[in-house]
Coordinates of all heavy atoms in Angstrom, one line a residue:
R77 N 34.7 26.5 3.7 CA 33.8 25.7 2.8 C 33.1 24.6 3.5 O 32.0 24.3 3.3 CB 34.6 25.2 1.6 CG 34.9 26.3 0.5 CD 35.8 25.8 -0.5 NE 36.1 26.8 -1.5 CZ 37.1 26.8 -2.4 NH1 37.9 25.7 -2.4 NH2 37.3 27.8 -3.2
D78 N 33.9 23.9 4.4 CA 33.4 22.8 5.2 C 32.3 23.3 6.1 O 31.2 22.7 6.2 CB 34.5 22.1 6.0 CG 34.0 20.9 6.8 OD1 33.4 20.0 6.1 OD2 34.1 21.0 8.0
V79 N 32.5 24.4 6.8 CA 31.5 25.0 7.7 C 30.3 25.4 7.0 O 29.1 25.2 7.4 CB 32.1 26.2 8.5 CG1 31.0 26.8 9.4 CG2 33.2 25.7 9.4
L80 N 30.5 26.1 5.8 CA 29.4 26.5 5.0 C 28.5 25.4 4.5 O 27.3 25.4 4.5 CB 29.9 27.4 3.8 CG 28.8 27.9 2.9 CD1 27.8 28.7 3.6 CD2 29.4 28.7 1.7
E81 N 29.2 24.3 4.1 CA 28.5 23.1 3.6 C 27.5 22.6 4.8 O 26.4 22.2 4.5 CB 29.4 22.0 3.2 CG 28.8 20.8 2.6 CD 29.7 19.8 2.1 OE1 31.0 20.1 2.0 OE2 29.3 18.6 1.8
Q82 N 28.1 22.5 6.0 CA 27.3 22.1 7.1 C 26.1 23.0 7.4 O 25.0 22.6 7.7 CB 28.2 22.0 8.4 CG 29.3 20.9 8.3 CD 30.1 20.9 9.5 OE1 29.7 20.7 10.7 NE2 31.4 21.2 9.4
A83 N 26.4 24.3 7.3 CA 25.4 25.3 7.6 C 24.3 25.2 6.5 O 23.1 25.3 6.9 CB 26.0 26.7 7.6
E84 N 24.6 25.1 5.3 CA 23.6 25.0 4.2 C 22.7 23.8 4.4 O 21.5 23.9 4.1 CB 24.3 24.9 2.8 CG 25.1 26.2 2.4 CD 24.2 27.4 2.1 OE1 23.0 27.3 2.3 OE2 24.7 28.3 1.5
K85 N 23.3 22.7 4.8 CA 22.4 21.5 5.1 C 21.4 21.8 6.1 O 20.3 21.4 6.1 CB 23.3 20.3 5.5 CG 24.1 19.7 4.3 CD 25.0 18.6 4.8 CE 25.8 18.0 3.6 NZ 26.7 16.9 4.1
L86 N 21.8 22.5 7.2 CA 20.9 22.8 8.3 C 19.8 23.8 7.8 O 18.7 23.7 8.1 CB 21.7 23.4 9.5 CG 22.6 22.5 10.2 CD1 23.4 23.2 11.2 CD2 21.7 21.3 10.9
V87 N 20.3 24.8 7.0 CA 19.3 25.8 6.4 C 18.3 25.1 5.6 O 17.1 25.4 5.6 CB 20.1 26.8 5.5 CG1 19.1 27.7 4.7 CG2 21.0 27.7 6.4
N88 N 18.7 24.1 4.8 CA 17.7 23.4 4.0 C 16.7 22.6 4.8 O 15.7 22.2 4.3 CB 18.5 22.4 3.1 CG 19.3 23.1 2.0 OD1 18.9 24.2 1.6 ND2 20.3 22.5 1.5
N89 N 17.0 22.3 6.1 CA 16.1 21.7 6.9 C 15.0 22.6 7.6 O 14.1 22.1 8.3 CB 16.8 20.9 8.0 CG 17.5 19.7 7.5 OD1 17.1 19.1 6.5 ND2 18.6 19.3 8.1
L90 N 15.2 23.9 7.5 CA 14.3 24.9 8.0 C 12.9 24.7 7.4 O 12.9 24.6 6.1 CB 14.8 26.3 7.8 CG 16.1 26.7 8.6 CD1 16.6 28.0 8.1 CD2 15.8 26.7 10.1
N91 N 11.9 24.7 8.1 CA 10.5 24.4 7.6 C 9.7 25.7 7.7 O 9.4 26.1 8.8 CB 9.9 23.3 8.5 CG 8.7 22.8 7.8 OD1 8.1 23.4 6.9 ND2 8.2 21.6 8.3
P92 N 9.4 26.3 6.5 CA 8.6 27.5 6.5 C 7.3 27.3 7.2 O 6.6 26.4 7.0 CB 8.4 27.8 5.0 CG 9.5 27.1 4.3 CD 9.8 25.9 5.2
G93 N 7.0 28.3 8.1 CA 5.7 28.2 8.8 C 5.8 27.5 10.1 O 4.8 27.5 10.9
N94 N 6.9 26.8 10.4 CA 7.0 26.0 11.6 C 8.0 26.7 12.6 O 8.8 27.5 12.1 CB 7.4 24.6 11.4 CG 6.3 23.8 10.8 OD1 5.1 24.3 10.7 ND2 6.6 22.6 10.3
E95 N 8.0 26.3 13.8 CA 9.0 26.8 14.7 C 10.4 26.2 14.4 O 10.5 24.9 14.4 CB 8.6 26.5 16.2 CG 7.3 27.2 16.6 CD 7.4 28.7 16.6 OE1 8.5 29.2 16.9 OE2 6.4 29.3 16.3
N96 N 11.4 27.0 14.2 CA 12.7 26.5 13.9 C 13.8 26.9 14.8 O 15.0 26.9 14.5 CB 13.1 26.9 12.4 CG 12.2 26.3 11.4 OD1 12.3 25.1 11.2 ND2 11.4 27.1 10.7
E97 N 13.4 27.3 16.0 CA 14.4 28.0 16.9 C 15.6 27.1 17.2 O 16.7 27.5 17.2 CB 13.7 28.3 18.2 CG 14.6 29.1 19.2 CD 13.8 29.7 20.4 OE1 12.6 29.6 20.4 OE2 14.5 30.1 21.3
H98 N 15.3 25.8 17.4 CA 16.4 24.9 17.7 C 17.4 24.8 16.5 O 18.6 24.7 16.7 CB 15.9 23.5 18.0 CG 15.2 22.8 16.9 ND1 14.0 23.2 16.3 CD2 15.6 21.7 16.1 CE1 13.7 22.4 15.4 NE2 14.6 21.5 15.2
L99 N 16.9 24.8 15.3 CA 17.8 24.8 14.1 C 18.6 26.1 14.0 O 19.8 26.0 13.7 CB 17.0 24.5 12.9 CG 16.8 23.0 12.4 CD1 15.9 22.9 11.2 CD2 18.1 22.4 12.2
Y100 N 17.9 27.2 14.2 CA 18.6 28.5 14.1 C 19.7 28.5 15.2 O 20.8 29.0 14.9 CB 17.6 29.6 14.3 CG 16.8 30.0 13.2 CD1 15.4 29.9 13.2 CD2 17.4 30.3 11.9 CE1 14.6 30.2 12.1 CE2 16.5 30.6 10.8 CZ 15.2 30.5 11.0 OH 14.4 30.8 9.9
E101 N 19.5 28.0 16.3 CA 20.5 28.0 17.4 C 21.6 27.1 17.0 O 22.8 27.4 17.2 CB 19.8 27.6 18.7 CG 20.8 27.6 19.9 CD 21.4 29.0 20.2 OE1 20.9 30.0 19.7 OE2 22.4 29.0 20.9
E102 N 21.3 25.9 16.4 CA 22.4 25.0 16.0 C 23.3 25.6 14.9 O 24.5 25.5 15.0 CB 21.7 23.7 15.5 CG 22.7 22.6 15.2 CD 22.0 21.3 14.7 OE1 20.8 21.2 14.9 OE2 22.8 20.4 14.3
I103 N 22.6 26.4 14.0 CA 23.4 27.0 13.0 C 24.3 28.1 13.6 O 25.4 28.3 13.2 CB 22.5 27.6 11.9 CG1 21.7 26.5 11.2 CG2 23.2 28.4 10.8 CD1 20.6 27.0 10.3
R104 N 23.7 28.9 14.5 CA 24.4 30.0 15.2 C 25.7 29.5 15.9 O 26.8 30.0 15.7 CB 23.5 30.7 16.1 CG 24.2 32.0 16.7 CD 23.4 32.5 18.0 NE 23.6 31.5 19.1 CZ 24.7 31.5 19.8 NH1 25.7 32.3 19.6 NH2 24.7 30.6 20.8
I105 N 25.5 28.4 16.6 CA 26.6 27.8 17.3 C 27.7 27.3 16.4 O 28.9 27.4 16.6 CB 26.1 26.6 18.2 CG1 25.3 27.2 19.4 CG2 27.3 25.8 18.8 CD1 24.5 26.1 20.2
L106 N 27.3 26.8 15.2 CA 28.2 26.2 14.3 C 29.1 27.4 13.7 O 30.3 27.3 13.5 CB 27.5 25.5 13.1 CG 28.3 25.2 11.9 CD1 29.3 24.1 12.2 CD2 27.4 24.7 10.7
I107 N 28.4 28.5 13.4 CA 29.2 29.6 12.6 C 29.9 30.5 13.6 O 30.9 31.1 13.2 CB 28.2 30.4 11.8 CG1 27.5 29.4 10.7 CG2 28.8 31.6 11.1 CD1 26.5 30.1 9.9
H108 N 29.4 30.7 14.8 CA 29.9 31.7 15.7 C 31.4 31.8 15.9 O 32.0 32.9 15.9 CB 29.2 31.5 17.1 CG 29.7 32.5 18.1 ND1 29.3 33.8 18.1 CD2 30.6 32.4 19.2 CE1 29.8 34.5 19.1 NE2 30.6 33.6 19.8
P109 N 32.1 30.6 16.0 CA 33.6 30.7 16.2 C 34.3 31.3 15.0 O 35.5 31.7 15.2 CB 33.9 29.2 16.4 CG 32.7 28.5 16.8 CD 31.6 29.2 16.1
Y110 N 33.6 31.4 13.9 CA 34.4 31.9 12.7 C 34.1 33.4 12.4 O 34.7 33.9 11.5 CB 34.0 31.0 11.5 CG 34.4 29.6 11.7 CD1 33.5 28.7 12.3 CD2 35.7 29.1 11.3 CE1 33.9 27.4 12.5 CE2 36.0 27.8 11.5 CZ 35.1 26.9 12.1 OH 35.5 25.6 12.4
I111 N 33.0 33.9 13.0 CA 32.6 35.2 12.6 C 33.7 36.3 12.7 O 33.9 37.1 11.8 CB 31.4 35.7 13.5 CG1 30.1 34.9 13.0 CG2 31.1 37.2 13.4 CD1 29.7 35.2 11.7
A112 N 34.5 36.3 13.8 CA 35.5 37.3 14.0 C 36.7 37.1 13.0 O 37.5 38.0 12.8 CB 36.0 37.3 15.4
K113 N 36.8 35.9 12.4 CA 37.9 35.6 11.6 C 37.6 35.5 10.0 O 38.4 35.2 9.2 CB 38.5 34.2 11.9 CG 38.9 34.1 13.4 CD 39.6 32.8 13.7 CE 38.6 31.7 13.8 NZ 39.2 30.4 14.2
L114 N 36.4 36.0 9.7 CA 36.0 36.0 8.3 C 36.6 37.2 7.6 O 36.7 38.3 8.1 CB 34.4 36.1 8.2 CG 33.7 34.9 8.7 CD1 32.2 35.2 8.7 CD2 34.0 33.6 8.0
S115 N 37.1 36.9 6.4 CA 37.7 37.9 5.5 C 36.9 38.2 4.3 O 35.7 38.5 4.4 CB 39.2 37.5 5.1 OG 39.1 36.3 4.5
N116 N 37.4 38.1 3.1 CA 36.7 38.3 1.9 C 36.3 36.9 1.3 O 36.8 35.9 1.8 CB 37.5 39.1 0.9 CG 37.8 40.5 1.5 OD1 36.9 41.1 2.0 ND2 39.0 41.0 1.3
G117 N 35.6 37.0 0.2 CA 35.3 35.7 -0.5 C 33.9 35.3 -0.3 O 33.2 35.8 0.7
Y118 N 33.3 34.5 -1.2 CA 32.0 34.1 -1.1 C 31.6 33.3 0.2 O 30.5 33.6 0.8 CB 31.6 33.1 -2.3 CG 30.3 32.6 -2.2 CD1 29.1 33.3 -2.5 CD2 30.0 31.3 -1.7 CE1 27.8 32.8 -2.4 CE2 28.8 30.7 -1.6 CZ 27.7 31.5 -1.9 OH 26.4 31.0 -1.8
E119 N 32.5 32.5 0.6 CA 32.2 31.7 1.8 C 32.0 32.6 3.0 O 31.0 32.4 3.8 CB 33.4 30.7 2.2 CG 33.5 29.6 1.2 CD 34.2 30.0 -0.1 OE1 34.8 31.1 -0.1 OE2 34.3 29.2 -1.0
S120 N 32.8 33.6 3.2 CA 32.7 34.6 4.3 C 31.3 35.3 4.2 O 30.6 35.5 5.1 CB 33.8 35.5 4.3 OG 35.0 34.9 4.6
A121 N 31.0 35.8 2.9 CA 29.8 36.6 2.7 C 28.6 35.7 3.1 O 27.6 36.2 3.7 CB 29.8 37.0 1.3
R122 N 28.5 34.5 2.6 CA 27.4 33.6 2.8 C 27.2 33.3 4.3 O 26.1 33.3 4.8 CB 27.5 32.4 1.9 CG 26.3 31.4 2.1 CD 25.0 32.0 1.7 NE 23.9 30.9 1.8 CZ 22.7 31.2 2.2 NH1 22.3 32.4 2.4 NH2 21.8 30.2 2.3
L123 N 28.3 33.0 5.0 CA 28.3 32.7 6.4 C 27.8 33.9 7.2 O 27.0 33.8 8.1 CB 29.6 32.3 6.9 CG 30.1 30.9 6.5 CD1 31.5 30.6 6.8 CD2 29.2 29.8 7.1
L124 N 28.2 35.1 6.8 CA 27.7 36.3 7.5 C 26.2 36.5 7.3 O 25.5 36.8 8.2 CB 28.4 37.6 6.9 CG 29.8 37.8 7.4 CD1 30.5 38.9 6.6 CD2 29.8 38.3 8.9
E125 N 25.8 36.2 6.0 CA 24.3 36.3 5.7 C 23.5 35.3 6.6 O 22.5 35.7 7.2 CB 24.1 36.1 4.3 CG 22.6 36.1 3.9 CD 22.3 35.6 2.5 OE1 23.2 35.3 1.7 OE2 21.1 35.6 2.1
I126 N 23.9 34.0 6.6 CA 23.2 33.0 7.3 C 23.2 33.3 8.8 O 22.2 33.2 9.5 CB 23.8 31.6 7.1 CG1 23.7 31.2 5.6 CG2 23.2 30.6 8.0 CD1 24.4 29.9 5.3
Y127 N 24.4 33.8 9.3 CA 24.5 34.1 10.7 C 23.6 35.2 11.1 O 22.9 35.2 12.1 CB 25.9 34.4 11.1 CG 26.2 34.5 12.5 CD1 26.3 33.3 13.3 CD2 26.4 35.7 13.2 CE1 26.6 33.4 14.7 CE2 26.7 35.8 14.5 CZ 26.8 34.6 15.3 OH 27.1 34.6 16.6
S128 N 23.5 36.3 10.3 CA 22.7 37.4 10.6 C 21.2 37.0 10.6 O 20.4 37.5 11.4 CB 22.9 38.6 9.6 OG 22.5 38.2 8.3
R129 N 20.8 36.2 9.6 CA 19.4 35.7 9.6 C 19.1 34.9 10.9 O 18.0 35.0 11.4 CB 19.2 34.8 8.4 CG 19.2 35.7 7.0 CD 19.0 34.7 5.8 NE 19.1 35.4 4.6 CZ 18.0 35.9 3.9 NH1 16.8 35.8 4.4 NH2 18.2 36.5 2.7
C130 N 20.0 34.1 11.3 CA 19.8 33.3 12.6 C 19.6 34.3 13.7 O 18.7 34.0 14.6 CB 21.0 32.4 12.8 SG 21.0 31.0 11.7
L131 N 20.5 35.3 13.9 CA 20.4 36.2 15.0 C 19.0 36.9 15.0 O 18.4 37.1 16.0 CB 21.5 37.3 14.9 CG 22.9 36.8 15.2 CD1 23.9 37.9 15.3 CD2 23.0 36.0 16.5
F132 N 18.6 37.3 13.8 CA 17.3 37.9 13.7 C 16.2 37.0 14.1 O 15.3 37.4 14.9 CB 17.0 38.4 12.2 CG 15.6 38.9 12.1 CD1 15.2 40.2 12.5 CD2 14.6 38.1 11.5 CE1 13.9 40.6 12.4 CE2 13.3 38.6 11.3 CZ 13.0 39.8 11.8
N133 N 16.2 35.8 13.7 CA 15.1 34.8 14.0 C 15.1 34.4 15.5 O 14.1 34.0 16.0 CB 15.1 33.6 13.1 CG 14.6 33.9 11.7 OD1 13.4 34.1 11.5 ND2 15.5 34.1 10.7
L134 N 16.3 34.5 16.1 CA 16.5 34.2 17.5 C 16.3 35.5 18.3 O 16.4 35.4 19.6 CB 17.9 33.6 17.7 CG 18.1 32.2 17.2 CD1 19.6 31.9 17.3 CD2 17.3 31.2 17.9
K135 N 15.9 36.6 17.7 CA 15.7 37.9 18.4 C 16.9 38.3 19.2 O 16.8 38.8 20.3 CB 14.5 37.8 19.3 CG 13.2 37.5 18.5 CD 12.0 37.4 19.4 CE 10.7 37.3 18.7 NZ 10.6 36.2 17.7
K136 N 18.1 38.1 18.6 CA 19.3 38.6 19.2 C 19.9 39.8 18.4 O 19.6 40.0 17.3 CB 20.4 37.5 19.1 CG 20.1 36.3 20.0 CD 21.2 35.2 19.9 CE 20.8 34.0 20.7 NZ 20.9 34.3 22.2
E137 N 20.6 40.7 19.1 CA 21.1 41.9 18.6 C 22.3 41.6 17.7 O 23.0 40.6 17.8 CB 21.4 42.9 19.7 CG 20.2 43.4 20.5 CD 20.6 44.4 21.5 OE1 21.8 44.7 21.7 OE2 19.7 45.0 22.2
G138 N 22.6 42.6 16.8 CA 23.8 42.5 16.0 C 23.6 42.0 14.6 O 24.5 42.1 13.8
W139 N 22.4 41.6 14.3 CA 22.1 41.0 13.0 C 22.2 42.1 11.8 O 22.7 41.7 10.7 CB 20.7 40.3 12.9 CG 19.6 41.3 13.0 CD1 18.9 41.6 14.1 CD2 18.9 41.9 11.9 NE1 17.9 42.5 13.8 CE2 17.9 42.7 12.5 CE3 19.1 41.9 10.5 CZ2 17.0 43.5 11.7 CZ3 18.2 42.7 9.7 CH2 17.2 43.5 10.3
E140 N 21.8 43.3 12.1 CA 21.8 44.3 11.1 C 23.2 44.6 10.6 O 23.5 44.8 9.4 CB 21.1 45.6 11.6 CG 19.7 45.5 11.8 CD 19.0 46.7 12.3 OE1 19.0 46.9 13.5 OE2 18.5 47.5 11.4
E141 N 24.2 44.8 11.5 CA 25.6 45.1 11.1 C 26.1 43.9 10.3 O 26.8 44.2 9.3 CB 26.4 45.3 12.4 CG 27.8 45.6 12.1 CD 28.7 45.7 13.4 OE1 28.1 45.8 14.5 OE2 29.9 45.7 13.3
L142 N 25.8 42.7 10.7 CA 26.4 41.5 9.9 C 25.7 41.4 8.6 O 26.4 41.1 7.6 CB 26.1 40.3 10.8 CG 26.9 40.2 12.1 CD1 26.4 39.0 12.9 CD2 28.4 40.0 11.8

Side-chain angles (χ1 to χ4, degrees):
R77 283 175 183 164
D78 181 58
V79 174
L80 180 56
E81 184 178 350
Q82 295 177 59
E84 295 286 15
K85 287 179 181 177
L86 292 172
V87 168
N88 289 335
N89 288 330
L90 293 171
N91 194 343
N94 289 352
E95 297 298 327
N96 291 294
E97 187 172 347
H98 66 291
L99 268 177
Y100 283 123
E101 182 61 17
E102 188 175 348
I103 297 169
R104 187 196 69 80
I105 291 171
L106 171 67
I107 300 175
H108 180 73
Y110 299 89
I111 287 297
K113 299 186 287 184
L114 295 175
S115 55
N116 297 318
Y118 173 77
E119 291 80 8
S120 293
R122 178 61 178 148
L123 286 170
L124 282 167
E125 179 191 356
I126 294 172
Y127 191 75
S128 67
R129 290 177 184 267
C130 287
L131 291 186
F132 172 77
N133 284 286
L134 291 169
K135 297 179 172 57
K136 294 181 180 290
E137 295 182 354
W139 69 268
E140 290 179 274
E141 181 183 347
L142 294 170

